[in-house]
Coordinates of all heavy atoms in Angstrom, one line a residue:
M1309 N 124.4 125.9 107.9 CA 123.8 125.9 106.6 C 123.4 124.4 106.3 O 124.2 123.5 106.5 CB 124.6 126.5 105.5 CG 124.0 126.4 104.2 SD 125.1 127.4 103.0 CE 123.8 128.2 102.1
T1310 N 122.2 124.2 105.8 CA 121.8 122.8 105.4 C 122.3 122.4 104.1 O 122.3 123.2 103.1 CB 120.3 122.8 105.4 OG1 119.8 123.2 106.7 CG2 119.8 121.4 105.2
N1311 N 122.8 121.2 104.0 CA 123.2 120.6 102.7 C 122.0 120.4 101.8 O 121.1 119.7 102.2 CB 123.9 119.3 103.0 CG 124.5 118.7 101.7 OD1 124.1 119.0 100.6 ND2 125.6 117.9 101.9
P1312 N 122.0 121.0 100.6 CA 120.8 120.9 99.7 C 120.6 119.5 99.2 O 119.5 119.2 98.7 CB 121.1 121.9 98.6 CG 122.6 122.1 98.6 CD 123.0 121.9 100.0
R1313 N 121.5 118.6 99.3 CA 121.4 117.3 98.8 C 120.6 116.4 99.8 O 120.1 115.4 99.4 CB 122.7 116.7 98.4 CG 123.3 117.3 97.2 CD 124.6 116.6 96.8 NE 125.6 117.0 97.8 CZ 126.8 116.5 97.7 NH1 127.2 115.6 96.9 NH2 127.7 116.8 98.6
I1314 N 120.6 116.7 101.0 CA 119.9 115.9 102.0 C 118.4 115.7 101.7 O 118.0 114.6 101.7 CB 120.2 116.4 103.5 CG1 121.7 116.2 103.8 CG2 119.3 115.7 104.5 CD1 122.1 116.8 105.1
P1315 N 117.6 116.8 101.5 CA 116.2 116.5 101.1 C 116.1 115.6 99.9 O 115.2 114.8 99.8 CB 115.7 117.9 100.9 CG 116.6 118.8 101.7 CD 117.9 118.2 101.6
A1316 N 116.9 115.8 98.9 CA 116.8 115.0 97.7 C 117.1 113.6 98.0 O 116.5 112.6 97.5 CB 117.7 115.6 96.6
M1317 N 118.1 113.3 98.8 CA 118.5 111.9 99.1 C 117.4 111.3 100.0 O 117.1 110.1 99.8 CB 119.8 111.9 99.9 CG 121.0 112.2 99.0 SD 122.7 112.0 99.7 CE 122.5 112.8 101.3
T1318 N 116.8 112.1 100.9 CA 115.7 111.5 101.7 C 114.5 111.1 100.8 O 114.0 110.1 101.0 CB 115.3 112.6 102.7 OG1 116.4 112.9 103.5 CG2 114.1 112.1 103.6
L1319 N 114.2 112.0 99.9 CA 113.1 111.7 98.9 C 113.4 110.4 98.1 O 112.6 109.6 97.9 CB 112.8 112.9 98.0 CG 111.7 112.7 97.0 CD1 110.4 112.5 97.7 CD2 111.6 114.0 96.2
A1320 N 114.6 110.3 97.6 CA 115.0 109.1 96.9 C 114.9 107.9 97.7 O 114.5 106.8 97.2 CB 116.4 109.3 96.3
C1321 N 115.4 107.9 98.9 CA 115.3 106.7 99.8 C 113.9 106.3 100.1 O 113.5 105.2 100.1 CB 116.0 107.0 101.1 SG 117.8 107.1 100.9
C1322 N 113.0 107.3 100.3 CA 111.6 107.1 100.5 C 110.9 106.4 99.3 O 110.2 105.5 99.4 CB 110.8 108.3 100.9 SG 111.2 108.9 102.6
A1323 N 111.2 106.9 98.1 CA 110.7 106.4 96.9 C 111.2 105.0 96.7 O 110.4 104.1 96.3 CB 111.1 107.3 95.7
L1324 N 112.4 104.7 97.0 CA 112.9 103.3 96.9 C 112.2 102.4 97.8 O 111.9 101.3 97.5 CB 114.4 103.3 97.1 CG 115.1 101.9 97.1 CD1 114.9 101.3 95.7 CD2 116.6 102.1 97.4
A1325 N 112.0 102.8 99.1 CA 111.3 102.0 100.0 C 109.9 101.7 99.6 O 109.5 100.5 99.7 CB 111.3 102.7 101.4
V1326 N 109.2 102.7 99.1 CA 107.8 102.4 98.6 C 107.8 101.4 97.4 O 107.1 100.5 97.4 CB 107.2 103.8 98.2 CG1 105.9 103.5 97.4 CG2 106.9 104.6 99.4
S1327 N 108.8 101.6 96.5 CA 108.8 100.7 95.3 C 109.2 99.3 95.7 O 108.6 98.3 95.2 CB 109.7 101.2 94.2 OG 111.0 101.2 94.7
L1328 N 110.1 99.2 96.7 CA 110.4 97.8 97.1 C 109.3 97.2 97.9 O 109.0 96.0 97.8 CB 111.7 97.9 98.0 CG 113.0 98.2 97.4 CD1 114.1 98.3 98.4 CD2 113.3 97.1 96.3
G1329 N 108.5 97.9 98.6 CA 107.3 97.4 99.3 C 106.3 96.9 98.3 O 105.6 95.9 98.5
A1330 N 106.1 97.6 97.2 CA 105.2 97.1 96.2 C 105.6 95.8 95.5 O 104.8 95.0 95.1 CB 105.0 98.2 95.1
V1331 N 106.9 95.6 95.5 CA 107.4 94.3 94.8 C 107.5 93.2 95.9 O 107.5 92.0 95.5 CB 108.8 94.6 94.2 CG1 109.4 93.3 93.7 CG2 108.7 95.6 93.1
A1332 N 107.5 93.5 97.1 CA 107.8 92.5 98.2 C 106.6 91.5 98.4 O 106.8 90.5 99.0 CB 108.1 93.2 99.5
G1333 N 105.4 91.8 97.9 CA 104.4 90.8 98.1 C 103.5 91.1 99.2 O 103.1 90.2 100.0
D1334 N 103.1 92.4 99.5 CA 102.2 92.7 100.6 C 100.8 92.5 100.2 O 100.4 92.5 99.0 CB 102.4 94.2 100.9 CG 103.8 94.5 101.4 OD1 104.4 93.6 102.2 OD2 104.4 95.5 101.2
D1335 N 99.9 92.2 101.2 CA 98.5 92.1 101.0 C 97.9 93.5 100.8 O 98.3 94.5 101.4 CB 97.8 91.5 102.2 CG 98.0 90.0 102.2 OD1 98.4 89.4 101.2 OD2 97.7 89.4 103.3
F1336 N 97.0 93.6 99.9 CA 96.2 94.8 99.6 C 94.8 94.6 100.0 O 94.2 93.5 99.6 CB 96.3 95.2 98.1 CG 95.5 96.4 97.7 CD1 96.0 97.7 97.9 CD2 94.3 96.2 97.1 CE1 95.2 98.8 97.6 CE2 93.5 97.3 96.8 CZ 94.0 98.6 97.0
Y1337 N 94.2 95.5 100.7 CA 92.8 95.3 101.2 C 91.9 96.3 100.5 O 92.3 97.5 100.4 CB 92.7 95.5 102.7 CG 93.3 94.4 103.5 CD1 94.7 94.4 103.8 CD2 92.6 93.3 103.9 CE1 95.3 93.3 104.5 CE2 93.1 92.3 104.7 CZ 94.5 92.3 104.9 OH 95.1 91.3 105.6
G1338 N 90.7 95.9 100.1 CA 89.8 96.8 99.5 C 88.5 96.1 99.2 O 88.3 94.9 99.4
T1339 N 87.5 96.9 98.7 CA 86.2 96.4 98.4 C 86.2 95.9 97.0 O 86.7 96.6 96.1 CB 85.1 97.5 98.6 OG1 85.2 97.9 100.0 CG2 83.7 97.0 98.3
V1340 N 85.5 94.8 96.7 CA 85.4 94.3 95.3 C 84.5 95.2 94.6 O 83.3 95.4 95.0 CB 84.9 92.8 95.3 CG1 84.7 92.3 93.9 CG2 85.8 91.9 96.1
E1341 N 85.0 95.8 93.5 CA 84.2 96.8 92.7 C 83.6 96.1 91.5 O 82.6 96.4 91.0 CB 85.0 98.0 92.4 CG 85.4 98.8 93.6 CD 86.3 99.9 93.4 OE1 86.5 100.3 92.2 OE2 86.9 100.4 94.3
S1342 N 84.4 95.2 90.9 CA 84.0 94.3 89.8 C 84.9 93.1 89.8 O 85.9 93.1 90.3 CB 84.0 95.1 88.5 OG 85.4 95.3 88.1
R1343 N 84.4 92.1 89.1 CA 85.1 90.8 89.0 C 84.7 90.1 87.7 O 83.7 90.5 87.1 CB 84.7 89.9 90.2 CG 83.2 89.7 90.4 CD 82.9 88.6 91.3 NE 83.3 87.3 90.7 CZ 83.6 86.2 91.4 NH1 83.4 86.2 92.7 NH2 83.9 85.1 90.8
P1344 N 85.4 89.1 87.3 CA 85.0 88.4 86.1 C 83.6 87.8 86.2 O 83.2 87.3 87.2 CB 86.0 87.3 86.0 CG 87.2 87.7 86.8 CD 86.6 88.6 87.9
A1345 N 82.8 88.0 85.1 CA 81.4 87.6 85.2 C 81.1 86.1 85.3 O 80.3 85.7 86.1 CB 80.7 88.1 83.9
D1346 N 81.9 85.3 84.6 CA 81.5 83.9 84.6 C 82.6 83.0 85.3 O 82.4 81.8 85.4 CB 81.4 83.4 83.2 CG 80.3 84.1 82.4 OD1 79.3 84.4 83.1 OD2 80.4 84.3 81.2
D1347 N 83.6 83.6 85.8 CA 84.7 82.7 86.4 C 85.5 83.6 87.4 O 85.1 84.7 87.7 CB 85.6 82.3 85.2 CG 86.5 81.1 85.6 OD1 86.4 80.6 86.7 OD2 87.3 80.7 84.7
T1348 N 86.6 83.0 87.9 CA 87.4 83.8 88.8 C 88.7 84.3 88.0 O 89.4 85.1 88.5 CB 87.9 82.9 90.0 OG1 88.5 81.8 89.5 CG2 86.7 82.6 90.8
V1349 N 88.9 83.8 86.8 CA 90.0 84.2 86.0 C 89.7 85.4 85.2 O 88.6 85.5 84.6 CB 90.4 83.0 85.0 CG1 91.5 83.5 84.1 CG2 90.9 81.8 85.8
G1350 N 90.6 86.4 85.3 CA 90.3 87.7 84.6 C 90.6 88.8 85.5 O 91.2 88.7 86.5
D1351 N 90.1 90.0 85.1 CA 90.3 91.2 85.8 C 89.4 91.4 86.9 O 88.1 91.3 86.8 CB 90.3 92.4 84.9 CG 91.4 92.5 83.9 OD1 92.5 91.9 84.2 OD2 91.3 93.2 82.9
W1352 N 89.9 91.7 88.1 CA 89.2 92.1 89.3 C 89.5 93.5 89.6 O 90.7 93.9 89.6 CB 89.6 91.2 90.5 CG 89.3 89.8 90.4 CD1 89.8 88.8 89.6 CD2 88.4 89.1 91.3 NE1 89.3 87.6 89.9 CE2 88.4 87.7 90.9 CE3 87.6 89.5 92.3 CZ2 87.7 86.8 91.5 CZ3 86.8 88.5 93.0 CH2 86.9 87.1 92.6
V1353 N 88.5 94.3 90.0 CA 88.8 95.7 90.5 C 88.5 95.7 92.0 O 87.3 95.4 92.4 CB 88.0 96.8 89.7 CG1 88.3 98.1 90.3 CG2 88.3 96.7 88.2
I1354 N 89.5 95.9 92.8 CA 89.4 95.8 94.2 C 90.1 97.1 94.8 O 91.2 97.3 94.5 CB 90.1 94.5 94.8 CG1 89.4 93.3 94.2 CG2 90.1 94.5 96.3 CD1 90.1 92.0 94.6
G1355 N 89.3 97.8 95.5 CA 89.8 99.1 96.1 C 90.4 100.0 95.1 O 91.3 100.7 95.4
G1356 N 89.8 100.1 93.9 CA 90.2 101.0 92.9 C 91.4 100.5 92.1 O 91.8 101.2 91.2
R1357 N 91.9 99.4 92.4 CA 93.1 98.8 91.6 C 92.6 97.6 90.8 O 91.8 96.8 91.3 CB 94.2 98.4 92.5 CG 94.9 99.6 93.2 CD 96.0 99.2 94.1 NE 97.0 98.4 93.5 CZ 98.0 97.8 94.2 NH1 98.1 98.0 95.5 NH2 98.8 97.0 93.6
T1358 N 93.2 97.4 89.6 CA 92.9 96.2 88.8 C 93.9 95.2 89.0 O 95.1 95.4 88.9 CB 92.8 96.6 87.3 OG1 91.8 97.6 87.2 CG2 92.4 95.4 86.5
F1359 N 93.4 93.9 89.3 CA 94.3 92.8 89.5 C 93.8 91.7 88.5 O 92.6 91.5 88.4 CB 94.2 92.2 90.9 CG 94.6 93.2 92.0 CD1 93.7 94.0 92.6 CD2 95.9 93.2 92.4 CE1 94.1 94.9 93.6 CE2 96.3 94.1 93.3 CZ 95.4 95.0 94.0
T1360 N 94.8 91.1 87.8 CA 94.4 90.0 86.8 C 94.7 88.7 87.5 O 95.9 88.3 87.7 CB 95.2 90.2 85.5 OG1 94.9 91.5 85.0 CG2 94.8 89.2 84.5
A1361 N 93.6 87.9 87.7 CA 93.8 86.6 88.3 C 93.9 85.6 87.1 O 93.3 85.7 86.1 CB 92.5 86.2 89.1
T1362 N 94.8 84.6 87.3 CA 95.0 83.5 86.4 C 94.5 82.2 86.9 O 94.0 82.2 88.1 CB 96.5 83.4 86.0 OG1 97.2 82.9 87.2 CG2 97.1 84.7 85.6
A1363 N 94.6 81.1 86.2 CA 94.2 79.8 86.7 C 95.0 79.4 87.9 O 94.5 78.6 88.8 CB 94.3 78.8 85.6
A1364 N 96.2 80.0 88.1 CA 97.0 79.7 89.2 C 96.7 80.5 90.5 O 97.2 80.2 91.5 CB 98.5 79.9 88.8
T1365 N 95.9 81.5 90.3 CA 95.5 82.4 91.5 C 94.6 81.6 92.4 O 93.6 81.1 92.0 CB 94.8 83.7 91.0 OG1 95.7 84.4 90.1 CG2 94.5 84.6 92.2
A1366 N 94.9 81.5 93.7 CA 94.1 80.9 94.7 C 92.9 81.9 95.0 O 93.1 83.1 95.2 CB 94.9 80.6 95.9
I1367 N 91.7 81.3 95.1 CA 90.5 82.1 95.5 C 90.0 81.5 96.8 O 89.7 80.3 96.9 CB 89.4 82.0 94.4 CG1 90.0 82.5 93.0 CG2 88.2 82.8 94.8 CD1 90.4 84.0 93.0
D1368 N 90.0 82.3 97.9 CA 89.7 81.8 99.2 C 88.4 82.6 99.7 O 88.4 83.8 99.8 CB 90.8 82.1 100.1 CG 90.6 81.6 101.6 OD1 89.4 81.3 101.9 OD2 91.5 81.5 102.3
T1369 N 87.3 81.8 99.9 CA 86.1 82.4 100.3 C 85.7 82.0 101.7 O 84.5 82.0 102.0 CB 85.0 82.1 99.3 OG1 84.9 80.6 99.2 CG2 85.2 82.6 97.9
D1370 N 86.7 81.8 102.5 CA 86.4 81.3 103.9 C 85.6 82.4 104.7 O 84.8 82.0 105.6 CB 87.7 81.1 104.7 CG 88.3 79.8 104.2 OD1 87.7 79.0 103.5 OD2 89.5 79.5 104.6
D1371 N 85.7 83.7 104.4 CA 85.0 84.7 105.1 C 83.8 85.2 104.3 O 83.3 86.3 104.6 CB 86.0 85.9 105.5 CG 86.9 85.5 106.6 OD1 86.4 85.0 107.7 OD2 88.1 85.6 106.5
G1372 N 83.4 84.5 103.4 CA 82.2 84.8 102.6 C 82.5 84.9 101.1 O 83.6 84.8 100.7
P1373 N 81.4 85.0 100.3 CA 81.6 85.1 98.8 C 82.3 86.4 98.4 O 82.2 87.4 99.1 CB 80.2 85.0 98.3 CG 79.3 85.5 99.4 CD 80.0 85.1 100.7
L1374 N 83.0 86.3 97.3 CA 83.7 87.4 96.8 C 82.9 88.2 95.8 O 83.2 88.3 94.6 CB 85.1 87.0 96.2 CG 86.1 86.7 97.2 CD1 87.3 85.9 96.6 CD2 86.7 87.9 97.8
D1375 N 81.7 88.6 96.2 CA 80.8 89.3 95.4 C 81.2 90.8 95.4 O 81.9 91.3 96.2 CB 79.3 89.2 95.9 CG 78.9 87.7 95.8 OD1 79.3 87.0 94.9 OD2 78.0 87.3 96.7
V1376 N 80.6 91.5 94.4 CA 80.8 93.0 94.4 C 80.3 93.6 95.7 O 79.2 93.2 96.2 CB 80.0 93.6 93.2 CG1 80.0 95.1 93.3 CG2 80.7 93.2 91.9
G1377 N 81.1 94.4 96.4 CA 80.8 95.0 97.7 C 81.4 94.3 98.8 O 81.5 94.8 99.9
A1378 N 82.0 93.1 98.6 CA 82.6 92.3 99.7 C 84.0 92.9 99.9 O 84.7 93.4 99.0 CB 82.7 90.9 99.3
C1379 N 84.5 92.7 101.1 CA 85.9 93.1 101.5 C 86.8 91.9 101.1 O 86.5 90.8 101.2 CB 86.0 93.3 103.0 SG 87.6 93.7 103.6
A1380 N 87.9 92.3 100.5 CA 88.9 91.3 100.0 C 90.3 91.7 100.2 O 90.6 92.9 100.3 CB 88.6 91.0 98.5
S1381 N 91.2 90.7 100.3 CA 92.6 91.0 100.3 C 93.2 90.4 99.0 O 92.7 89.3 98.6 CB 93.3 90.5 101.5 OG 93.3 89.1 101.6
V1382 N 94.2 91.0 98.5 CA 94.9 90.5 97.3 C 96.4 90.3 97.7 O 97.0 91.2 98.2 CB 94.8 91.4 96.1 CG1 95.5 90.8 94.9 CG2 93.3 91.7 95.8
D1383 N 96.9 89.1 97.6 CA 98.3 88.8 97.8 C 99.0 88.7 96.5 O 98.6 87.9 95.7 CB 98.4 87.5 98.6 CG 99.8 87.1 99.0 OD1 100.7 88.0 99.0 OD2 100.1 85.9 99.2
T1384 N 100.0 89.6 96.3 CA 100.8 89.6 95.1 C 102.2 89.2 95.3 O 102.8 89.4 96.4 CB 100.7 91.0 94.4 OG1 101.3 91.9 95.3 CG2 99.3 91.3 94.0
E1385 N 102.8 88.7 94.3 CA 104.3 88.5 94.3 C 104.8 89.1 93.0 O 104.6 88.6 91.9 CB 104.6 87.0 94.3 CG 106.0 86.6 94.5 CD 106.6 87.1 95.8 OE1 105.9 87.0 96.9 OE2 107.7 87.7 95.8
G1386 N 105.4 90.3 93.1 CA 105.7 91.1 92.0 C 104.4 91.5 91.2 O 103.5 92.0 91.8
E1387 N 104.3 91.1 90.0 CA 103.1 91.4 89.2 C 102.1 90.3 89.3 O 101.0 90.5 88.8 CB 103.5 91.7 87.7 CG 104.3 92.9 87.5 CD 103.6 94.2 87.9 OE1 102.4 94.3 87.5 OE2 104.2 95.1 88.5
R1388 N 102.5 89.2 89.8 CA 101.6 88.0 89.8 C 100.6 88.0 91.0 O 101.0 88.3 92.1 CB 102.5 86.7 89.9 CG 101.7 85.4 89.8 CD 102.6 84.2 89.7 NE 103.4 84.1 91.0 CZ 104.7 84.1 91.1 NH1 105.4 84.3 90.0 NH2 105.3 84.0 92.2
V1389 N 99.4 87.8 90.8 CA 98.3 87.7 91.8 C 98.3 86.3 92.4 O 97.9 85.3 91.7 CB 96.9 88.1 91.3 CG1 95.9 88.0 92.4 CG2 97.0 89.5 90.7
E1390 N 98.8 86.1 93.6 CA 98.9 84.8 94.2 C 97.5 84.3 94.8 O 97.2 83.2 94.6 CB 99.9 84.8 95.3 CG 101.3 85.1 94.9 CD 101.9 83.9 94.2 OE1 101.7 82.7 94.7 OE2 102.7 84.0 93.3
E1391 N 96.8 85.3 95.4 CA 95.6 84.9 96.1 C 94.7 86.1 96.2 O 95.1 87.2 96.4 CB 95.9 84.3 97.5 CG 94.6 83.9 98.2 CD 94.9 83.4 99.6 OE1 95.9 83.9 100.3 OE2 94.3 82.4 100.0
I1392 N 93.4 85.8 96.0 CA 92.3 86.8 96.3 C 91.5 86.1 97.4 O 91.0 85.0 97.2 CB 91.5 87.2 95.1 CG1 92.4 87.8 94.0 CG2 90.3 88.1 95.5 CD1 91.7 88.1 92.7
E1393 N 91.3 86.8 98.5 CA 90.7 86.2 99.7 C 89.6 87.1 100.3 O 89.8 88.3 100.4 CB 91.8 86.0 100.7 CG 91.3 85.3 102.0 CD 92.4 85.0 103.0 OE1 93.6 85.4 102.7 OE2 92.1 84.4 104.0
S1394 N 88.4 86.5 100.6 CA 87.4 87.3 101.3 C 87.9 87.6 102.7 O 88.6 86.8 103.3 CB 86.1 86.6 101.3 OG 86.2 85.3 102.0
E1395 N 87.5 88.8 103.2 CA 87.9 89.3 104.5 C 86.7 89.8 105.3 O 85.7 90.2 104.6 CB 89.0 90.4 104.4 CG 90.3 90.0 103.7 CD 91.1 89.1 104.6 OE1 90.8 88.9 105.8 OE2 92.1 88.5 104.1
P1396 N 86.8 89.8 106.6 CA 85.7 90.5 107.4 C 85.6 92.0 107.0 O 86.7 92.6 106.7 CB 86.1 90.3 108.8 CG 87.1 89.2 108.8 CD 87.8 89.2 107.5
A1397 N 84.4 92.5 106.9 CA 84.2 93.9 106.5 C 85.1 94.9 107.2 O 85.5 95.9 106.7 CB 82.8 94.3 106.6
G1398 N 85.4 94.7 108.5 CA 86.2 95.6 109.3 C 87.7 95.8 108.8 O 88.3 96.7 109.2
K1399 N 88.1 94.9 107.9 CA 89.5 95.0 107.5 C 89.6 95.9 106.2 O 90.7 96.2 105.8 CB 90.0 93.6 107.1 CG 90.3 92.8 108.3 CD 91.3 91.6 107.9 CE 91.8 90.9 109.1 NZ 92.8 90.0 108.8
C1400 N 88.5 96.4 105.7 CA 88.6 97.2 104.5 C 88.5 98.7 104.9 O 87.8 99.0 105.8 CB 87.4 96.9 103.5 SG 87.8 95.4 102.6
P1401 N 89.3 99.5 104.2 CA 89.2 100.9 104.5 C 87.9 101.6 104.2 O 87.1 101.1 103.4 CB 90.3 101.5 103.7 CG 90.8 100.5 102.7 CD 90.2 99.2 103.2

């Protein structure tokens, strides 16, 4: 007979792993859907997610301008957006 707590513990461990991954500072890749109109500071929508860039956020355009439709990666540290970087189109889903 299977212990009924095993599936629940497995689910809890998976949820913890996902939440820790979100805090760990992974890069997120997506297409720029909108960006601040006059500056780089403010809300960016990339790959369906909203990221708020501050004056401390690095903006890297080595692989092209970060215009709407461009592929970008976002590097976060917790809730803080560390960097928004242009990427080759092949890196976006």
Side-chain angles (χ1 to χ4, degrees):
M1309 179 173 222
T1310 304
N1311 185 336
R1313 290 187 286 176
I1314 291 175
M1317 290 187 312
T1318 302
L1319 181 60
C1321 289
C1322 290
L1324 179 61
V1326 168
S1327 66
L1328 288 176
V1331 174
D1334 295 324
D1335 282 347
F1336 175 82
Y1337 290 85
T1339 301
V1340 177
E1341 297 172 15
S1342 69
R1343 56 164 291 158
D1346 298 327
D1347 198 4
T1348 57
V1349 175
D1351 289 340
W1352 293 68
V1353 178
I1354 299 173
R1357 291 179 53 188
T1358 301
F1359 298 93
T1360 302
T1362 67
T1365 302
I1367 303 297
D1368 182 345
T1369 58
D1370 286 348
D1371 287 308
L1374 285 164
D1375 296 331
V1376 171
C1379 180
S1381 65
V1382 182
D1383 181 22
T1384 59
E1385 187 63 45
E1387 295 295 316
R1388 188 175 62 242
V1389 178
E1390 295 286 322
E1391 180 179 37
I1392 299 174
E1393 180 177 7
S1394 60
E1395 296 288 349
K1399 287 199 169 187
C1400 281

